[in-house]
Amino acid sequence: VQLVESGGGEVQPGGSLRLSCAASGITEDEYAIGWFRQAPGKQREGITCFSTRYGTYYYPNSVKGRLTVDRDNAKITALFEMKNLEPEDTAVYYCAALNDWGFSCRDLREYDYDDWGQGIQVTVSS
C-alpha cells in the first residue's frame, strides 16, 4: 500500500484547509484509513479514521473537520477538511492504512496501522 498526502501549507488562524490522502494498493474490500498528526515536541495523536463497515470516527479533543473517503477500484482517496484552525494545530499530518480490517477503527492505535504516508506540514500562523 502506498499513501501520499497533499494539501498542506500555511493558513491563518480561523482558516480552513483540506488534506488529501491518495492510497493505492489496498486490495481487500474492508479496510481502515486514519489521519494522525504530530506537533513539535509532542507525541503523534489520532484525529479521525474510517472503516468500511463502521464508518467514520472523530477523536475527541482534536482538530475539527470532516472526513470523506471514496474508492475507485484499488485507489482510495481520503479527504479531511479542517476548519477553525488555531496555531496549536500546527503539526505534520499523516494518513495511515490498514488493509483487511472489518471492525470499527476507533480502537485502532497508530501501531495497528501497517502503512503510512510521508506526512505533510500544516502551519497555522498570522
Side-chain angles (χ1 to χ4, degrees), residues 16-31:
S16 302
L17 206 63
R18 186 174 69 175
L19 301 181
S20 177
C21 173
S24 57
I26 292 181
T27 57
E28 300 295 330
D29 291 335
E30 296 184 319
Y31 57 89

Side-chain angles (χ1 to χ4, degrees), residues 6-123:
S6 61
E10 188 167 344
V11 64
Q12 292 187 341
S16 302
L17 206 63
R18 186 174 69 175
L19 301 181
S20 177
C21 173
S24 57
I26 292 181
T27 57
E28 300 295 330
D29 291 335
E30 296 184 319
Y31 57 89
I33 298 286
W35 275 103
F36 294 78
R37 68 179 181 179
Q38 187 166 19
K42 295 187 177 181
Q43 290 186 332
R44 189 153 51 186
E45 63 176 359
I47 302 171
T48 181
C49 64
F50 167 87
S51 66
T52 48
R53 186 174 294 191
Y54 289 88
T56 304
Y57 173 73
Y58 297 95
Y59 289 84
N61 302 319
S62 186
V63 61
K64 304 305 178 189
R66 185 171 69 97
L67 174 67
T68 57
V69 179
D70 294 306
R71 181 168 191 168
D72 179 10
N73 292 322
K75 183 175 180 180
I76 296 165
T77 302
L79 296 175
F80 182 55
E81 298 180 82
M82 304 182 289
K83 57 185 179 181
N84 298 325
L85 290 166
E86 300 175 356
E88 294 73 27
D89 297 316
T90 294
V92 178
Y93 286 69
Y94 300 87
C95 67
L98 178 59
N99 207 0
D100 194 16
W101 182 255
F103 304 96
S104 172
C105 64
R106 64 182 295 165
D107 295 324
L108 290 174
R109 298 296 177 259
E110 59 175 293
Y111 49 76
D112 293 315
Y113 288 88
D114 292 328
D115 299 286
W116 290 80
Q118 80 284 358
I120 192 163
Q121 179 70 43
V122 171
T123 301

